Amino acid sequence: SQTIHQWPATLVQPVGSPLSLECTVEGTSNPNLYWYRQAAGRGLQLLFYSVGIGQISSEVPQNLSASRPQDRQFILSSKKLLLSDSGFYLCAWSVSGGTEAFFGQGTRLTVV
Amino acid sequence: DQQVKQNSPSLSVQEGRISILNCDYTNSMFDYFLWYKKYPAEGPTFLISISSIKDKNEDGRFTVFLNKSAKHLSLHIVPSQPGDSAVYFCAASGDDKIIFGKGTRLHILP
């Protein structure tokens, strides 16, 4: 069966520090991968999605970047965090070209 | 530009009655629609989906209806149970993207 791992679960980082959140998927090949953010009182905003290794599409201009160095690994990064980067970050996967997305447990990022 | 809209931030329903959550979308390229349930500090859990070629899909207490001409879908939960209290997200899929609405918080009252 497929599983998705996302870590860390919580993170407190100072303004201006770098960020690296990692997500890995097991039990499937060539998945679509997604990063979402849920800011306080807001919905799930799609940040990045990837249909294959090295292929990243960005949905909104921002202070973040994403990379997919391996088929089942998706990384969310920032060189210098802003206060506005605080939120709940979720990684998800779906089958290629498909439909339902399955989510990790999320990372609560607080920038102080 | 919000492509998926859930216009009701919250909804309260008596236990045992029907809960109806609504969602509208604007982009005709979406071909698959989904509902998720979410608790605080957890990832969303997939509930039910519907393809754009159908107008109804049922799974136990959950039924999703799709009106393509109106670009509208709804989730019906009947009977509503206390464990159904959560935030429900509508999502639309197309062109490898999955776009979510802002969610509706459902309160099931005893």
Side-chain angles (χ1 to χ4, degrees):
Chain A
S1 64
Q2 301 88 359
T3 56
I4 180 168
H5 303 278
Q6 185 182 342
W7 67 92
T10 59
L11 191 58
V12 180
Q13 291 283 104
V15 169
S17 64
L19 173 74
S20 180
L21 301 181
E22 188 163 343
C23 172
T24 59
V25 180
E26 296 176 357
T28 187
S29 295
N30 196 33
N32 284 2
L33 296 173
Y34 307 86
W35 278 111
Y36 289 87
R37 176 173 60 201
Q38 184 181 20
R42 302 186 65 180
L44 293 169
Q45 182 184 32
L46 178 61
L47 301 177
F48 301 95
Y49 67 98
S50 171
V51 300
I53 296 174
Q55 300 178 63
I56 308 295
S57 298
S58 173
E59 281 296 287
V60 292
Q62 57 207 318
N63 186 40
L64 303 167
S65 62
S67 61
R68 184 171 177 173
Q70 300 180 45
D71 181 45
R72 288 169 290 176
Q73 184 184 29
F74 206 22
I75 298 172
L76 183 70
S77 304
S78 173
K79 291 183 180 177
K80 287 185 179 182
L81 283 169
L82 306 172
L83 287 174
S84 58
D85 292 324
S86 294
F88 191 53
Y89 289 82
L90 289 152
C91 179
W93 75 274
S94 71
V95 298
S96 178
T99 52
E100 297 92 0
F102 300 94
F103 284 81
Q105 287 302 295
T107 296
R108 170 71 60 192
L109 171 66
T110 303
V111 183
V112 296
Chain B
D1 178 29
Q2 221 179 320
Q3 298 184 64
V4 178
K5 300 178 185 179
Q6 292 178 258
N7 292 321
S8 298
S10 67
L11 175 68
S12 295
V13 175
Q14 208 77 34
E15 181 180 353
R17 306 295 289 267
I18 183 171
S19 295
I20 300 176
L21 298 108
N22 293 301
C23 178
D24 299 292
Y25 61 96
T26 58
N27 196 329
S28 299
M29 70 99 171
F30 292 135
D31 56 10
Y32 208 78
F33 303 90
L34 312 100
W35 284 95
Y36 286 79
K37 180 179 181 181
K38 187 180 182 300
Y39 295 114
E42 294 183 7
T45 303
F46 169 73
L47 273 178
I48 192 169
S49 61
I50 188 167
S51 164
S52 60
I53 62 173
K54 296 187 175 182
D55 56 17
K56 178 182 175 181
N57 187 27
E58 191 172 352
D59 183 2
R61 296 186 300 115
F62 301 93
T63 303
V64 55
F65 295 92
L66 175 63
N67 182 333
K68 273 191 72 176
S69 60
K71 293 190 174 71
H72 177 83
L73 63 152
S74 61
L75 174 68
H76 292 210
I77 307 173
V78 56
S80 300
Q81 298 175 354
D84 295 331
S85 293
V87 176
Y88 289 78
F89 287 97
C90 168
S93 171
D95 199 21
D96 288 307
K97 291 191 287 190
I98 305 176
I99 306 296
F100 283 76
K102 291 192 173 182
T104 297
R105 182 175 298 279
L106 177 63
H107 301 270
I108 304 302
L109 307 171

